Amino acid sequence: MTGLPISYGIGLAALLFLMGFAGLVIRRNTLFILMCLEIMMNAAGLAFIVAGAQWQAADGNVMFILIITVAAAEAAIGLGLLLQLQKRFRTIDIDAASEMHG
Amino acid sequence: MEFTFFLAGIIALATTLRVITCANPVHALLYLIMSMLALAVDFYALGAAFAATLEVVVYAGAIMVLFLFVVMMLNLNNETVAREKSWMRPQLWTGPSIAAGLLLLAMIWALVTGSPASGRIVGTELSANEVGMALFGPYVVVVELSAFLLLAALAVAAHIGREDRDLAAEGAEHGERVTNHPGDH
């Protein structure tokens, strides 16, 4: 039977998302944390594209464009915060910014 | 189509694994770009050619170049790579990795036991024309909300990224004003 079951595409998206999640939790370098956030957003976009391909609707692509917009905004703000962290604490270790001792 | 999907998917998974385990930020960034290009091939195999183009141009092109600029500004050297390696001791990453693996098992279980969607993905191409019609037809509010979001992000990035001497100058100006008009308070 030709074609691809939707669970393969969603499974790939889930794998990528969880890889990004694992990286987010195990890393202390803020730059890597931002990269893992990008991986997770990308995986969410893949899930939308897969669903759009399953039902052959343009809605999945529209949501992907929205996700790209959110990712661009998040990357700009996150990298700005990263530069401030480097400027104030002279390190990009996220644990250095625990002045509230939470 | 299936072969392309699986090949690109495996490349995406392997390069993503390298991103989260690599100690050198520049190498990790290059692997991340590879992962995004592989995902773009996946999008193309699924028939979303417009999304694949956007993935290459916006994600791998614009956002990753932004990351690369920041890496250049951070002045990373061999010392930082060694410190990064010292932060990745096995006792630090085994626990979170097991937790993520359990979440993955739950998700795969849901995928396997859930009722599958009828029909399979054959990869019919979805043209940019259709996407554009949907984007500026029923989804026009989403486009306007994206405009809000980008404007807010611009304002926040400009505020966060400003230099400290602006702050100092503001503080000095404020202090001057207070000394000039002590009766204001």
Side-chain angles (χ1 to χ4, degrees), chain B residues 75-116:
Chain B
N75 267 335
L76 301 170
N77 47 27
N78 289 333
E79 191 184 311
T80 55
V81 174
R83 193 190 55 207
E84 192 67 34
K85 276 186 180 146
S86 73
W87 283 349
M88 282 198 293
R89 290 190 308 262
Q91 67 259 39
L92 289 179
W93 57 258
T94 39
S97 301
I98 290 169
L102 286 178
L103 283 176
L104 178 67
L105 282 182
M107 228 173 231
I108 286 175
W109 184 75
L111 278 177
V112 168
T113 58
S115 59

Side-chain angles (χ1 to χ4, degrees), chain B residues 2-155:
Chain B
E2 291 87 353
F3 178 72
T4 319
F5 179 83
F6 285 120
L7 185 67
I10 288 168
I11 293 173
L13 286 177
T15 46
T16 306
L17 189 66
R18 282 299 291 152
V19 172
I20 65 172
T21 55
C22 196
N24 190 325
V26 180
H27 293 176
L29 212 51
L30 291 175
Y31 277 119
L32 186 55
I33 292 174
M34 271 308 300
S35 150
M36 281 167 179
L37 293 180
L39 265 190
V41 174
D42 257 353
F43 291 169
Y44 191 74
L46 290 170
F50 185 54
T53 317
L54 279 181
E55 174 92 7
V56 174
V57 173
V58 180
Y59 245 124
I63 299 181
M64 288 301 110
V65 167
L66 197 65
F67 272 83
L68 211 54
F69 276 143
V70 170
V71 169
M72 281 159 58
M73 288 171 80
L74 289 178
N75 267 335
L76 301 170
N77 47 27
N78 289 333
E79 191 184 311
T80 55
V81 174
R83 193 190 55 207
E84 192 67 34
K85 276 186 180 146
S86 73
W87 283 349
M88 282 198 293
R89 290 190 308 262
Q91 67 259 39
L92 289 179
W93 57 258
T94 39
S97 301
I98 290 169
L102 286 178
L103 283 176
L104 178 67
L105 282 182
M107 228 173 231
I108 286 175
W109 184 75
L111 278 177
V112 168
T113 58
S115 59
S118 59
R120 292 175 161 226
I121 300 169
V122 286
T124 320
E125 195 181 327
L126 200 66
S127 67
N129 185 13
E130 288 171 70
V131 179
M133 294 295 273
L135 198 57
F136 289 96
Y139 283 103
V140 73
V141 179
V142 171
V143 176
E144 293 181 4
L145 283 176
S146 310
F148 281 5
L149 177 74
L150 286 176
L151 182 64
L154 178 70

Side-chain angles (χ1 to χ4, degrees), chain A residues 3-4 8 12 14 16 18 25 27-29 32 38 42 46 49 54 56 59 64 66 68 71 84 93, chain B residues 2 6 16 20 22 28 36 42-43 51 55 58-59 84 87 96 104 107 118 120-121 124 139 146 160 162:
Chain A
L4 190 81
Y8 285 28
L12 177 65
L16 282 173
L18 283 166
V25 178
R27 286 301 188 130
R28 282 170 67 189
N29 190 330
F32 279 95
E38 295 296 324
N42 226 347
L46 175 66
I49 294 285
Q54 165 80 26
Q56 291 176 18
D59 308 53
F64 177 72
L66 184 67
I68 278 195
Q84 283 291 329
D93 179 5
Chain B
E2 291 87 353
F6 285 120
T16 306
I20 65 172
C22 196
M36 281 167 179
D42 257 353
F43 291 169
E55 174 92 7
V58 180
Y59 245 124
E84 192 67 34
W87 283 349
L104 178 67
M107 228 173 231
S118 59
R120 292 175 161 226
I121 300 169
T124 320
Y139 283 103
S146 310
I160 290 174
R162 68 180 172 172

